[in-house]
Amino acid sequence: MKELVMEKFNIEESVYDFCTNIEDELSKQFDEIKKITEYNGLKILHAMQENGLSDMHFAATTGYGYNDLGRELIEEIYANVFGAEAGLVRPQLMSGTHALTVAFFGNLRPGDELLSVTGKPYDTLDGVIGITEQNGSLAEYGVSYAQADLKEDFSFDFDAIKKAINPKTKMVTIQRSKGYKYRPTLSVREIGQVIKFVKDIRSDIICMVDNCYGEFVEIMEPSEVGADLVVGSLIKNPGGGLAPTGGYIVGNEEYVENAAIRLSAPGLGKDVGATLGLNQQILQGLFFAPEVVENSLRSAIIFSRMFEKLGFNVMPKYDEPRCDIIQAIQMNTSEQVISFCQGIQKAAPVDSYVTPIPSDMPGYDAQVIMAAGTFIQGASIELSADAPIKAPYTVYFQGGLTGFHAKIAPMITLQNMINEGYCTII
Ligand SMILES: *Cc1c(COP(=O)(O)O)cnc(C)c1O
């Protein structure tokens, strides 16, 4: 193996040894995440069996998609796996942003207020909420927005949340993942605490969790600690790298139905939506998901330990608990950021010959570099990295479908940085 890796990928012996020594150090962490994989795998297998999943559920529907038994079963299985009453799992939910938008618009009415208790939400929601002016935003429809920032130590600011809640507050939104912020990810337990706090003030406030990147990283999901709506993307964790598109919304039956009405039309709700033959990939992807998440975590943990040893700040550290698949690494210069991302691209199975460069992106105030050589366009459950080109030069790494890729990608990335003179093994 060693000689082959060195020869085929031009890896120096020192880099190979450095990386494999790190891997050997991490067996305790790997054992811990394996246990979580098994627990989640069990939940999913059990839900598939209990719901009587069968070959016939893989049949394609077309047109209106009436009586799509597979689609209905997928939603039942998702609800069971997430410990929720109901689910809406559709290829017609085009992305995480779209699924969140459908959950917002389905449940908020003019005069209502949306409150974020985790600071400013993920960038792509700025236009949806109306934080930046945008045609068709919630703000344009008369839904106001309030925000309670996390405290300096990244814990919930309960005083600020209490102050922000008023008679108009209809929904509280909670972002589990760090997204592209250098902060720890919230654990499901912490999410449960803030939900309880909000419900104690007013039990009729809808608590929604943006669950992107968090699925199957812990043994519980936010819907098991009181979240009324839990939302995510199928081209991240729960699609297991196989679902070619789609999103999910699980939670309280009435609120999920409201979202379904918004996705299709009032009076149609969940009864329409052809699945065009995607049911099998969505289900098989879910079956794979805990193990794919585990491989992503392996890669994240190796990168974390590796760059910590090389003298960089990392979040989380290799031995800290993980609540999403994202690894943040603070570089010192933009050149290091670019070299890291180009190294990730070199490790990809698809488009490995492409050299990513920073470019302007709508919604960002700095140029952004993105590395992703993926089978499914933009799928960040596959090996990928993104970074805004601005101080403090933080790179966000995530994904990795296989255990082998988790092992080889750090070697290729480090070798790239060494070759370009941006890093040395001390
Ligand atoms: C990925 C992500 C989203 C949605 O992103 P899409 O690219 O639209 O799928 C929303 N919130 C968080 C925290 C995310 O990580």
Side-chain angles (χ1 to χ4, degrees):
M1 172 79 181
K2 181 173 175 175
E3 280 68 33
L4 212 57
V5 168
M6 287 169 55
E7 185 200 320
K8 299 288 185 201
F9 293 104
N10 296 315
I11 302 291
E12 289 163 13
E13 185 162 21
S14 58
V15 170
Y16 186 93
D17 290 343
F18 180 70
C19 291
T20 42
N21 288 341
I22 284 173
E23 253 198 276
D24 292 343
E25 250 184 70
L26 299 173
S27 55
K28 182 162 165 276
Q29 280 71 37
F30 293 160
D31 286 349
E32 277 165 19
I33 55 173
K34 171 132 242 103
K35 279 188 207 135
I36 295 170
T37 303
E38 288 176 356
Y39 188 93
N40 285 317
L42 185 149
K43 271 204 277 193
I44 290 165
L45 176 62
H46 187 69
M48 289 179 171
Q49 292 182 350
E50 285 290 292
N51 285 289
L53 176 60
S54 147
D55 201 40
M56 70 173 180
H57 295 115
F58 305 142
T61 54
T62 55
Y64 295 117
Y66 292 140
N67 305 313
D68 188 319
L69 298 178
R71 182 188 71 213
E72 287 166 14
L73 200 87
I74 288 171
E75 294 182 338
E76 218 31 67
I77 288 171
Y78 257 74
N80 291 168
V81 167
F82 284 80
E85 280 174 21
L88 182 71
V89 186
R90 301 290 169 115
Q92 288 85 3
L93 289 168
M94 289 176 263
S95 65
T97 303
H98 185 220
L100 289 157
T101 300
V102 164
F104 285 142
F105 276 89
N107 286 285
L108 292 163
R109 297 289 180 274
D112 290 343
E113 187 158 282
L114 170 69
L115 168 64
S116 168
V117 296
T118 43
K120 195 181 90 57
Y122 196 72
D123 286 311
T124 58
L125 297 174
D126 284 5
V128 176
I129 294 169
I131 295 171
T132 53
E133 204 169 308
Q134 181 70 51
N135 267 349
S137 68
L138 285 170
E140 201 189 74
Y141 280 89
V143 175
S144 56
Y145 171 71
Q147 180 174 310
D149 289 332
L150 295 171
K151 290 206 286 203
E152 226 149 78
D153 65 355
F154 303 110
S155 64
F156 286 112
D157 190 338
F158 289 107
D159 292 338
I161 295 170
K162 190 165 188 179
K163 254 188 230 145
I165 293 177
N166 65 61
K168 283 169 50 179
T169 310
K170 173 76 174 294
M171 185 190 278
V172 156
T173 182
I174 303 159
Q175 184 179 306
R176 178 174 177 181
S177 172
K178 61 178 78 58
Y180 296 127
K181 293 231 165 61
Y182 198 77
R183 68 141 162 108
T185 295
L186 297 169
S187 67
V188 171
R189 194 179 54 82
E190 289 168 308
I191 289 171
Q193 284 167 351
V194 81
I195 291 172
K196 181 166 185 310
F197 181 81
V198 169
K199 296 275 183 186
D200 282 348
I201 296 171
R202 264 212 8 243
S203 62
D204 62 336
I205 293 175
I206 303 169
C207 291
M208 191 190 88
V209 175
D210 173 354
N211 207 26
C212 282
Y213 289 133
E215 299 91 350
F216 311 134
V217 176
E218 297 183 64
I219 61 171
M220 282 209 298
E221 296 297 333
S223 23
E224 296 172 85
V225 294
D228 300 304
L229 284 169
V230 176
V231 183
S233 163
L234 298 195
I235 63 166
K236 293 180 180 173
N237 306 14
L242 289 183
T245 187
Y248 76 90
I249 300 171
V250 293
N252 170 290
E253 188 150 19
E254 182 193 337
Y255 305 146
V256 171
E257 181 63 25
N258 285 342
I261 288 167
R262 179 68 219 199
L263 176 65
S264 59
L268 300 183
K270 284 169 82 169
D271 295 334
V272 291
T275 49
L276 308 168
L278 298 177
N279 289 345
Q280 180 254 328
Q281 279 156 287
I282 290 174
L283 284 159
Q284 195 173 354
L286 178 66
F287 188 67
F288 273 46
E291 210 145 315
V292 171
V293 167
E294 180 187 346
N295 292 331
S296 298
L297 289 172
R298 281 180 86 92
S299 211
I301 293 167
I302 295 170
F303 269 116
S304 178
R305 184 61 176 145
M306 184 165 123
F307 277 89
E308 185 185 18
K309 282 201 158 181
L310 294 168
F312 295 84
N313 285 328
V314 295
M315 184 179 299
K317 295 200 192 311
Y318 74 100
D319 56 354
E320 283 174 338
R322 281 178 189 259
C323 305
D324 68 6
I325 63 168
I326 297 180
Q327 179 63 48
I329 305 166
Q330 261 176 9
M331 304 281 168
N332 303 312
T333 65
S334 59
E335 287 80 11
Q336 284 175 322
V337 168
I338 294 166
S339 182
F340 179 94
C341 290
Q342 291 177 346
I344 291 288
Q345 188 77 28
K346 281 186 180 161
V350 182
D351 291 337
S352 62
Y353 56 85
V354 169
T355 305
I357 51 166
S359 62
D360 294 321
M361 297 270 297
Y364 294 87
D365 56 358
Q367 288 203 318
V368 176
I369 184 166
M370 293 185 165
T374 58
F375 292 99
I376 289 166
Q377 188 194 93
S380 43
I381 189 61
E382 300 184 46
L383 193 83
S384 48
D386 319 70
I389 304 296
K390 63 175 181 187
Y393 301 113
T394 308
V395 171
Y396 298 89
F397 163 82
Q398 68 271 317
L401 294 178
T402 68
F404 166 71
H405 212 195
K407 184 189 177 81
I408 197 84
M411 290 185 194
I412 295 175
T413 307
L414 177 59
Q415 187 68 60
N416 189 62
M417 290 185 74
I418 288 174
N419 292 351
E420 295 183 348
Y422 296 125
C423 203
T424 47
I425 298 176
I426 353 149

PDB file of all heavy atoms in Angstrom, residues 176-201:
ATOM      1  N   ARG A 176     -28.276  24.221  13.735  1.00  0.00           N
ATOM      2  CA  ARG A 176     -27.440  23.260  14.470  1.00  0.00           C
ATOM      3  C   ARG A 176     -25.959  23.397  14.092  1.00  0.00           C
ATOM      4  O   ARG A 176     -25.088  23.440  14.946  1.00  0.00           O
ATOM      5  CB  ARG A 176     -27.930  21.841  14.157  1.00  0.00           C
ATOM      6  CG  ARG A 176     -27.121  20.731  14.812  1.00  0.00           C
ATOM      7  CD  ARG A 176     -27.800  19.393  14.528  1.00  0.00           C
ATOM      8  NE  ARG A 176     -27.073  18.255  15.054  1.00  0.00           N
ATOM      9  CZ  ARG A 176     -27.459  16.992  14.904  1.00  0.00           C
ATOM     10  NH1 ARG A 176     -28.573  16.725  14.238  1.00  0.00           N
ATOM     11  NH2 ARG A 176     -26.753  15.996  15.400  1.00  0.00           N
ATOM     12  N   SER A 177     -25.695  23.464  12.800  1.00  0.00           N
ATOM     13  CA  SER A 177     -24.316  23.452  12.312  1.00  0.00           C
ATOM     14  C   SER A 177     -23.684  24.823  12.431  1.00  0.00           C
ATOM     15  O   SER A 177     -24.380  25.842  12.448  1.00  0.00           O
ATOM     16  CB  SER A 177     -24.315  23.012  10.853  1.00  0.00           C
ATOM     17  OG  SER A 177     -23.042  23.159  10.304  1.00  0.00           O
ATOM     18  N   LYS A 178     -22.364  24.860  12.461  1.00  0.00           N
ATOM     19  CA  LYS A 178     -21.658  26.126  12.469  1.00  0.00           C
ATOM     20  C   LYS A 178     -21.830  26.859  11.147  1.00  0.00           C
ATOM     21  O   LYS A 178     -21.667  28.050  11.073  1.00  0.00           O
ATOM     22  CB  LYS A 178     -20.177  25.923  12.787  1.00  0.00           C
ATOM     23  CG  LYS A 178     -19.425  25.055  11.796  1.00  0.00           C
ATOM     24  CD  LYS A 178     -17.947  24.939  12.144  1.00  0.00           C
ATOM     25  CE  LYS A 178     -17.635  23.988  13.256  1.00  0.00           C
ATOM     26  NZ  LYS A 178     -18.070  22.591  13.073  1.00  0.00           N
ATOM     27  N   GLY A 179     -22.166  26.112  10.066  1.00  0.00           N
ATOM     28  CA  GLY A 179     -22.228  26.741   8.745  1.00  0.00           C
ATOM     29  C   GLY A 179     -20.847  27.252   8.421  1.00  0.00           C
ATOM     30  O   GLY A 179     -19.864  26.541   8.616  1.00  0.00           O
ATOM     31  N   TYR A 180     -20.747  28.511   7.989  1.00  0.00           N
ATOM     32  CA  TYR A 180     -19.415  29.046   7.726  1.00  0.00           C
ATOM     33  C   TYR A 180     -19.052  30.086   8.771  1.00  0.00           C
ATOM     34  O   TYR A 180     -18.650  31.194   8.471  1.00  0.00           O
ATOM     35  CB  TYR A 180     -19.333  29.563   6.288  1.00  0.00           C
ATOM     36  CG  TYR A 180     -19.509  28.423   5.315  1.00  0.00           C
ATOM     37  CD1 TYR A 180     -20.439  28.444   4.303  1.00  0.00           C
ATOM     38  CD2 TYR A 180     -18.756  27.253   5.482  1.00  0.00           C
ATOM     39  CE1 TYR A 180     -20.611  27.368   3.450  1.00  0.00           C
ATOM     40  CE2 TYR A 180     -18.921  26.165   4.639  1.00  0.00           C
ATOM     41  CZ  TYR A 180     -19.848  26.230   3.633  1.00  0.00           C
ATOM     42  OH  TYR A 180     -20.013  25.153   2.802  1.00  0.00           O
ATOM     43  N   LYS A 181     -19.243  29.691  10.034  1.00  0.00           N
ATOM     44  CA  LYS A 181     -18.828  30.542  11.155  1.00  0.00           C
ATOM     45  C   LYS A 181     -17.863  29.720  12.002  1.00  0.00           C
ATOM     46  O   LYS A 181     -18.056  28.515  12.172  1.00  0.00           O
ATOM     47  CB  LYS A 181     -20.037  30.930  12.014  1.00  0.00           C
ATOM     48  CG  LYS A 181     -21.014  31.827  11.300  1.00  0.00           C
ATOM     49  CD  LYS A 181     -21.323  33.062  12.150  1.00  0.00           C
ATOM     50  CE  LYS A 181     -21.986  34.141  11.320  1.00  0.00           C
ATOM     51  NZ  LYS A 181     -23.266  33.658  10.780  1.00  0.00           N
ATOM     52  N   TYR A 182     -16.876  30.394  12.546  1.00  0.00           N
ATOM     53  CA  TYR A 182     -15.906  29.688  13.389  1.00  0.00           C
ATOM     54  C   TYR A 182     -16.481  29.612  14.800  1.00  0.00           C
ATOM     55  O   TYR A 182     -16.104  30.358  15.698  1.00  0.00           O
ATOM     56  CB  TYR A 182     -14.571  30.438  13.370  1.00  0.00           C
ATOM     57  CG  TYR A 182     -13.399  29.596  13.829  1.00  0.00           C
ATOM     58  CD1 TYR A 182     -12.835  28.640  12.989  1.00  0.00           C
ATOM     59  CD2 TYR A 182     -12.843  29.759  15.097  1.00  0.00           C
ATOM     60  CE1 TYR A 182     -11.758  27.876  13.397  1.00  0.00           C
ATOM     61  CE2 TYR A 182     -11.757  29.009  15.510  1.00  0.00           C
ATOM     62  CZ  TYR A 182     -11.221  28.066  14.653  1.00  0.00           C
ATOM     63  OH  TYR A 182     -10.144  27.309  15.061  1.00  0.00           O
ATOM     64  N   ARG A 183     -17.442  28.683  14.970  1.00  0.00           N
ATOM     65  CA  ARG A 183     -18.028  28.484  16.296  1.00  0.00           C
ATOM     66  C   ARG A 183     -18.301  26.994  16.481  1.00  0.00           C
ATOM     67  O   ARG A 183     -18.417  26.257  15.496  1.00  0.00           O
ATOM     68  CB  ARG A 183     -19.331  29.282  16.445  1.00  0.00           C
ATOM     69  CG  ARG A 183     -20.504  28.792  15.563  1.00  0.00           C
ATOM     70  CD  ARG A 183     -21.842  28.862  16.330  1.00  0.00           C
ATOM     71  NE  ARG A 183     -23.023  28.812  15.498  1.00  0.00           N
ATOM     72  CZ  ARG A 183     -23.841  27.757  15.421  1.00  0.00           C
ATOM     73  NH1 ARG A 183     -23.558  26.628  16.049  1.00  0.00           N
ATOM     74  NH2 ARG A 183     -24.938  27.811  14.682  1.00  0.00           N
ATOM     75  N   PRO A 184     -18.393  26.533  17.714  1.00  0.00           N
ATOM     76  CA  PRO A 184     -18.724  25.116  17.891  1.00  0.00           C
ATOM     77  C   PRO A 184     -20.141  24.847  17.390  1.00  0.00           C
ATOM     78  O   PRO A 184     -20.993  25.743  17.410  1.00  0.00           O
ATOM     79  CB  PRO A 184     -18.654  24.912  19.406  1.00  0.00           C
ATOM     80  CG  PRO A 184     -18.077  26.151  19.989  1.00  0.00           C
ATOM     81  CD  PRO A 184     -18.259  27.244  18.998  1.00  0.00           C
ATOM     82  N   THR A 185     -20.366  23.636  16.950  1.00  0.00           N
ATOM     83  CA  THR A 185     -21.708  23.233  16.533  1.00  0.00           C
ATOM     84  C   THR A 185     -22.531  22.919  17.772  1.00  0.00           C
ATOM     85  O   THR A 185     -22.004  22.444  18.773  1.00  0.00           O
ATOM     86  CB  THR A 185     -21.570  21.990  15.637  1.00  0.00           C
ATOM     87  OG1 THR A 185     -20.864  22.382  14.463  1.00  0.00           O
ATOM     88  CG2 THR A 185     -22.920  21.430  15.242  1.00  0.00           C
ATOM     89  N   LEU A 186     -23.834  23.193  17.686  1.00  0.00           N
ATOM     90  CA  LEU A 186     -24.696  22.894  18.832  1.00  0.00           C
ATOM     91  C   LEU A 186     -24.946  21.392  18.916  1.00  0.00           C
ATOM     92  O   LEU A 186     -25.155  20.737  17.897  1.00  0.00           O
ATOM     93  CB  LEU A 186     -26.033  23.612  18.659  1.00  0.00           C
ATOM     94  CG  LEU A 186     -25.955  25.135  18.633  1.00  0.00           C
ATOM     95  CD1 LEU A 186     -27.292  25.703  18.198  1.00  0.00           C
ATOM     96  CD2 LEU A 186     -25.573  25.662  20.010  1.00  0.00           C
ATOM     97  N   SER A 187     -24.953  20.887  20.126  1.00  0.00           N
ATOM     98  CA  SER A 187     -25.318  19.482  20.294  1.00  0.00           C
ATOM     99  C   SER A 187     -26.841  19.379  20.351  1.00  0.00           C
ATOM    100  O   SER A 187     -27.534  20.367  20.624  1.00  0.00           O
ATOM    101  CB  SER A 187     -24.709  18.934  21.583  1.00  0.00           C
ATOM    102  OG  SER A 187     -25.307  19.555  22.696  1.00  0.00           O
ATOM    103  N   VAL A 188     -27.337  18.186  20.119  1.00  0.00           N
ATOM    104  CA  VAL A 188     -28.784  17.969  20.190  1.00  0.00           C
ATOM    105  C   VAL A 188     -29.280  18.287  21.610  1.00  0.00           C
ATOM    106  O   VAL A 188     -30.362  18.841  21.794  1.00  0.00           O
ATOM    107  CB  VAL A 188     -29.131  16.531  19.767  1.00  0.00           C
ATOM    108  CG1 VAL A 188     -30.592  16.204  20.049  1.00  0.00           C
ATOM    109  CG2 VAL A 188     -28.829  16.337  18.283  1.00  0.00           C
ATOM    110  N   ARG A 189     -28.464  17.968  22.600  1.00  0.00           N
ATOM    111  CA  ARG A 189     -28.838  18.257  23.990  1.00  0.00           C
ATOM    112  C   ARG A 189     -29.028  19.766  24.207  1.00  0.00           C
ATOM    113  O   ARG A 189     -30.014  20.208  24.787  1.00  0.00           O
ATOM    114  CB  ARG A 189     -27.751  17.724  24.928  1.00  0.00           C
ATOM    115  CG  ARG A 189     -28.130  17.643  26.392  1.00  0.00           C
ATOM    116  CD  ARG A 189     -26.992  17.078  27.236  1.00  0.00           C
ATOM    117  NE  ARG A 189     -25.755  17.830  27.027  1.00  0.00           N
ATOM    118  CZ  ARG A 189     -25.459  18.983  27.627  1.00  0.00           C
ATOM    119  NH1 ARG A 189     -26.299  19.520  28.481  1.00  0.00           N
ATOM    120  NH2 ARG A 189     -24.341  19.621  27.344  1.00  0.00           N
ATOM    121  N   GLU A 190     -28.079  20.569  23.691  1.00  0.00           N
ATOM    122  CA  GLU A 190     -28.197  22.029  23.826  1.00  0.00           C
ATOM    123  C   GLU A 190     -29.428  22.551  23.087  1.00  0.00           C
ATOM    124  O   GLU A 190     -30.107  23.461  23.561  1.00  0.00           O
ATOM    125  CB  GLU A 190     -26.938  22.716  23.279  1.00  0.00           C
ATOM    126  CG  GLU A 190     -25.719  22.514  24.155  1.00  0.00           C
ATOM    127  CD  GLU A 190     -24.421  22.944  23.455  1.00  0.00           C
ATOM    128  OE1 GLU A 190     -24.165  22.486  22.328  1.00  0.00           O
ATOM    129  OE2 GLU A 190     -23.687  23.729  24.054  1.00  0.00           O
ATOM    130  N   ILE A 191     -29.694  21.968  21.909  1.00  0.00           N
ATOM    131  CA  ILE A 191     -30.881  22.374  21.148  1.00  0.00           C
ATOM    132  C   ILE A 191     -32.136  22.070  21.975  1.00  0.00           C
ATOM    133  O   ILE A 191     -33.054  22.894  22.049  1.00  0.00           O
ATOM    134  CB  ILE A 191     -30.913  21.653  19.774  1.00  0.00           C
ATOM    135  CG1 ILE A 191     -29.804  22.215  18.872  1.00  0.00           C
ATOM    136  CG2 ILE A 191     -32.280  21.793  19.108  1.00  0.00           C
ATOM    137  CD1 ILE A 191     -29.587  21.458  17.579  1.00  0.00           C
ATOM    138  N   GLY A 192     -32.158  20.926  22.631  1.00  0.00           N
ATOM    139  CA  GLY A 192     -33.280  20.568  23.500  1.00  0.00           C
ATOM    140  C   GLY A 192     -33.471  21.583  24.623  1.00  0.00           C
ATOM    141  O   GLY A 192     -34.605  21.940  24.972  1.00  0.00           O
ATOM    142  N   GLN A 193     -32.363  22.071  25.163  1.00  0.00           N
ATOM    143  CA  GLN A 193     -32.459  23.054  26.260  1.00  0.00           C
ATOM    144  C   GLN A 193     -33.091  24.360  25.787  1.00  0.00           C
ATOM    145  O   GLN A 193     -33.955  24.918  26.468  1.00  0.00           O
ATOM    146  CB  GLN A 193     -31.057  23.349  26.826  1.00  0.00           C
ATOM    147  CG  GLN A 193     -30.533  22.233  27.722  1.00  0.00           C
ATOM    148  CD  GLN A 193     -29.040  22.383  28.018  1.00  0.00           C
ATOM    149  OE1 GLN A 193     -28.356  23.223  27.437  1.00  0.00           O
ATOM    150  NE2 GLN A 193     -28.553  21.556  28.917  1.00  0.00           N
ATOM    151  N   VAL A 194     -32.673  24.835  24.615  1.00  0.00           N
ATOM    152  CA  VAL A 194     -33.219  26.122  24.162  1.00  0.00           C
ATOM    153  C   VAL A 194     -34.686  25.963  23.763  1.00  0.00           C
ATOM    154  O   VAL A 194     -35.503  26.872  23.972  1.00  0.00           O
ATOM    155  CB  VAL A 194     -32.354  26.760  23.043  1.00  0.00           C
ATOM    156  CG1 VAL A 194     -32.633  26.180  21.683  1.00  0.00           C
ATOM    157  CG2 VAL A 194     -32.547  28.265  23.016  1.00  0.00           C
ATOM    158  N   ILE A 195     -35.035  24.800  23.212  1.00  0.00           N
ATOM    159  CA  ILE A 195     -36.443  24.569  22.855  1.00  0.00           C
ATOM    160  C   ILE A 195     -37.299  24.584  24.123  1.00  0.00           C
ATOM    161  O   ILE A 195     -38.361  25.214  24.174  1.00  0.00           O
ATOM    162  CB  ILE A 195     -36.617  23.241  22.081  1.00  0.00           C
ATOM    163  CG1 ILE A 195     -35.972  23.349  20.689  1.00  0.00           C
ATOM    164  CG2 ILE A 195     -38.100  22.868  21.953  1.00  0.00           C
ATOM    165  CD1 ILE A 195     -35.905  22.054  19.917  1.00  0.00           C
ATOM    166  N   LYS A 196     -36.826  23.930  25.159  1.00  0.00           N
ATOM    167  CA  LYS A 196     -37.582  23.898  26.415  1.00  0.00           C
ATOM    168  C   LYS A 196     -37.745  25.320  26.967  1.00  0.00           C
ATOM    169  O   LYS A 196     -38.821  25.704  27.425  1.00  0.00           O
ATOM    170  CB  LYS A 196     -36.872  23.010  27.447  1.00  0.00           C
ATOM    171  CG  LYS A 196     -37.618  22.933  28.757  1.00  0.00           C
ATOM    172  CD  LYS A 196     -37.152  21.842  29.679  1.00  0.00           C
ATOM    173  CE  LYS A 196     -38.034  21.753  30.909  1.00  0.00           C
ATOM    174  NZ  LYS A 196     -38.260  23.050  31.580  1.00  0.00           N
ATOM    175  N   PHE A 197     -36.678  26.100  26.878  1.00  0.00           N
ATOM    176  CA  PHE A 197     -36.715  27.482  27.365  1.00  0.00           C
ATOM    177  C   PHE A 197     -37.793  28.277  26.624  1.00  0.00           C
ATOM    178  O   PHE A 197     -38.598  28.981  27.226  1.00  0.00           O
ATOM    179  CB  PHE A 197     -35.330  28.114  27.195  1.00  0.00           C
ATOM    180  CG  PHE A 197     -35.235  29.528  27.693  1.00  0.00           C
ATOM    181  CD1 PHE A 197     -35.057  29.789  29.044  1.00  0.00           C
ATOM    182  CD2 PHE A 197     -35.314  30.601  26.806  1.00  0.00           C
ATOM    183  CE1 PHE A 197     -34.971  31.096  29.510  1.00  0.00           C
ATOM    184  CE2 PHE A 197     -35.226  31.911  27.263  1.00  0.00           C
ATOM    185  CZ  PHE A 197     -35.049  32.160  28.620  1.00  0.00           C
ATOM    186  N   VAL A 198     -37.805  28.138  25.283  1.00  0.00           N
ATOM    187  CA  VAL A 198     -38.781  28.863  24.464  1.00  0.00           C
ATOM    188  C   VAL A 198     -40.200  28.391  24.776  1.00  0.00           C
ATOM    189  O   VAL A 198     -41.118  29.193  24.969  1.00  0.00           O
ATOM    190  CB  VAL A 198     -38.464  28.674  22.953  1.00  0.00           C
ATOM    191  CG1 VAL A 198     -39.606  29.189  22.083  1.00  0.00           C
ATOM    192  CG2 VAL A 198     -37.155  29.375  22.598  1.00  0.00           C
ATOM    193  N   LYS A 199     -40.383  27.070  24.865  1.00  0.00           N
ATOM    194  CA  LYS A 199     -41.727  26.506  25.108  1.00  0.00           C
ATOM    195  C   LYS A 199     -42.255  26.880  26.490  1.00  0.00           C
ATOM    196  O   LYS A 199     -43.467  26.984  26.681  1.00  0.00           O
ATOM    197  CB  LYS A 199     -41.695  24.980  24.957  1.00  0.00           C
ATOM    198  CG  LYS A 199     -41.355  24.506  23.546  1.00  0.00           C
ATOM    199  CD  LYS A 199     -42.587  24.466  22.678  1.00  0.00           C
ATOM    200  CE  LYS A 199     -42.241  23.915  21.300  1.00  0.00           C
ATOM    201  NZ  LYS A 199     -43.379  23.994  20.382  1.00  0.00           N
ATOM    202  N   ASP A 200     -41.343  27.051  27.453  1.00  0.00           N
ATOM    203  CA  ASP A 200     -41.776  27.478  28.791  1.00  0.00           C
ATOM    204  C   ASP A 200     -42.301  28.905  28.770  1.00  0.00           C
ATOM    205  O   ASP A 200     -43.155  29.281  29.580  1.00  0.00           O
ATOM    206  CB  ASP A 200     -40.616  27.363  29.795  1.00  0.00           C
ATOM    207  CG  ASP A 200     -40.403  25.914  30.227  1.00  0.00           C
ATOM    208  OD1 ASP A 200     -41.289  25.078  29.934  1.00  0.00           O
ATOM    209  OD2 ASP A 200     -39.357  25.620  30.842  1.00  0.00           O
ATOM    210  N   ILE A 201     -41.778  29.711  27.847  1.00  0.00           N
ATOM    211  CA  ILE A 201     -42.279  31.083  27.718  1.00  0.00           C
ATOM    212  C   ILE A 201     -43.612  31.065  26.976  1.00  0.00           C
ATOM    213  O   ILE A 201     -44.589  31.661  27.411  1.00  0.00           O
ATOM    214  CB  ILE A 201     -41.262  31.990  26.988  1.00  0.00           C
ATOM    215  CG1 ILE A 201     -39.980  32.095  27.825  1.00  0.00           C
ATOM    216  CG2 ILE A 201     -41.855  33.379  26.728  1.00  0.00           C
ATOM    217  CD1 ILE A 201     -38.832  32.789  27.123  1.00  0.00           C
TER     218      ILE A 201
END
